[in-house]
Amino acid sequence: MSDDWLDAIQWDARGLVPAIAQEHGTGIILMMAWMNAESLRLTRDTGHAVYWSRSRGRLWHKGEESGHQQVVHAIRLDCDADVVLLEVEQKGGIACHTGRHNCFFRELDAQGRWVESAPVLKDPQTIYGKDE
């Protein structure tokens, strides 16, 4: 299969595009990460989410440490071709390295404070063997 489909994406100066992982069936936004052409190609080819980790400087197969993989049901591109949306099945129910279902667990309250609005489902130290 040709990789011409990658040419439609508006990559940033670093060759990256933001990718949003949305839970299949519920529509809940689980997380945002970065992808490069190789990670997006691998995601399509394997059916599992692969991202580019800016902090690690390498490809990151979601769940490689935690076991909480993302099975990809659909890959979508936004109207400006500068954001990718992955519709995923989140294995183990935990997408966030904090042990929560998704990464968007802080909510701005009426007093202008960030409050945690979702519980930790599993201690990150149990998942990763270290403090996160």
Side-chain angles (χ1 to χ4, degrees):
M1 179 184 288
S2 167
D3 284 338
D4 292 346
W5 59 279
L6 292 167
D7 295 338
I9 297 171
Q10 300 298 311
W11 306 98
D12 73 8
R14 300 165 295 175
L16 301 175
V17 64
I20 298 169
Q22 180 182 44
E23 188 171 47
H24 177 71
T26 70
I28 293 172
I29 301 299
L30 298 173
M31 57 178 277
M32 180 272 180
W34 295 93
M35 298 182 99
N36 63 12
E38 184 179 4
S39 66
L40 188 50
R41 186 181 310 104
L42 282 168
T43 296
R44 182 207 56 192
D45 291 349
T46 66
H48 288 86
V50 179
Y51 300 105
W52 175 257
S53 172
R54 295 176 304 159
S55 61
R56 299 172 191 155
R58 65 173 178 82
L59 292 176
W60 160 45
H61 295 252
K62 178 66 174 146
E64 66 188 27
E65 291 181 33
S66 68
H68 301 141
Q69 297 179 336
Q70 293 175 342
V71 177
V72 177
H73 288 257
I75 300 173
R76 303 181 194 284
L77 188 60
D78 81 325
C79 58
D80 295 322
D82 61 0
V83 178
V84 170
L85 177 75
L86 302 179
E87 187 179 322
V88 302
E89 176 187 346
Q90 180 62 57
K91 295 296 186 179
I94 297 173
C96 186
H97 72 279
T98 65
R100 291 176 173 85
H101 179 65
N102 67 52
C103 294
F104 298 97
F105 59 88
R106 294 184 194 116
E107 186 174 340
L108 189 62
D109 72 10
Q111 290 74 41
R113 297 175 302 208
W114 291 107
V115 292
E116 293 184 2
S117 59
V120 173
L121 302 177
K122 191 170 185 180
D123 182 354
Q125 194 166 17
T126 304
I127 298 170
Y128 301 101
K130 60 184 176 188
D131 291 324
E132 286 293 314

